[in-house]
Amino acid sequence: EAGGGGEAGGGGEGRGGDGSRCGADGAAARLVRFSVVPHAFRRHLPDPMKSRDSHDLVVLCVGCYGVLEPAYERHRQHLYRRHGVSRSPAPRRQALGQEEAKARAAALALSSHHGARIPAGRRAELEAVVASALGVEPGHVTRDMAAGLARQHAPGRQPPAPGWLSLEEQLMRAVLSSPGGANGGGEGGGGGDGAG
């Protein structure tokens, strides 16, 4: 959940350097842009606090990044504990119902490259399941229709479970609701905003 990495490349403006050198040791090669406030946290900040004018990028070389990121991760874990944020036992996504799961399994089988080799009787059963889910006649199910249904019910496509919040959102809510939270207060998660 918590970010890591940096954005490869050089250039760009950032605190602690001219954008073409590491802000920590001055190295000019193998640079990444390190987000002081990673996107996973920034997106949960109030609009005035996530202004594009706030300079939270620091240009670092890969070596300095390798030293900084583990420290940021330890701090992030400390903040999770301090604010009582832990992985929720609630599922992130709503689970598919039994009928939806059955329809997805049938759709996956029909749309696979082995679909043409399914025996006629079993193929008819699978097409009936997919047709029912799509609201069409069983004889009218195409491979594309089955593939579309499989994608529609793919993991990650289901809506978030009611009440589920990411660890980052839970932490930002806790920090911002604490005394002085909206004024900074030295809290934060830090880290990179992508692999680099």
Side-chain angles (χ1 to χ4, degrees):
E1 302 273 352
E7 193 175 308
E13 296 296 322
R15 227 187 286 156
D18 66 1
S20 61
R21 295 200 173 272
C22 174
D25 70 5
R30 300 184 64 208
L31 301 176
V32 296
R33 286 180 291 244
F34 183 82
S35 294
V36 175
V37 179
H39 177 72
F41 289 97
R42 177 178 283 284
R43 67 187 199 175
H44 300 296
L45 289 170
D47 286 336
M49 294 178 78
K50 57 184 173 184
S51 161
R52 294 209 184 274
D53 293 337
S54 71
H55 302 281
D56 81 323
L57 291 178
V58 178
V59 177
L60 296 173
C61 66
V62 172
C64 290
Y65 169 80
V67 172
L68 182 61
E69 177 59 19
Y72 260 64
E73 181 57 30
R74 284 190 303 275
H75 182 64
R76 187 180 355 239
Q77 295 305 319
H78 164 77
L79 290 174
Y80 287 148
R81 287 188 304 275
R82 177 177 169 189
H83 291 282
V85 175
S86 63
R87 293 199 185 275
S88 171
R92 177 182 176 155
R93 301 276 176 197
Q94 292 181 4
L96 288 179
Q98 187 175 6
E99 291 302 313
E100 291 170 319
K102 185 177 178 182
R104 180 170 191 268
L108 284 170
L110 290 171
S111 62
S112 77
H113 63 281
H114 299 294
R117 297 192 308 224
I118 297 174
R122 178 65 178 144
R123 182 175 187 79
E125 291 172 8
L126 296 172
E127 285 180 355
V129 170
V130 170
S132 174
L134 294 174
V136 299
E137 295 293 320
H140 293 83
V141 174
T142 66
R143 183 176 183 195
D144 287 341
M145 293 167 77
L149 180 63
R151 279 191 306 275
Q152 177 183 338
H153 293 302
R157 292 274 184 150
Q158 294 78 35
W164 183 87
L165 300 174
S166 69
L167 293 176
E168 295 85 1
E169 186 172 2
Q170 291 176 53
L171 179 60
M172 291 309 299
R173 285 183 176 200
V175 167
L176 292 172
S177 68
S178 66
N183 296 324
E187 304 280 11
D193 59 359

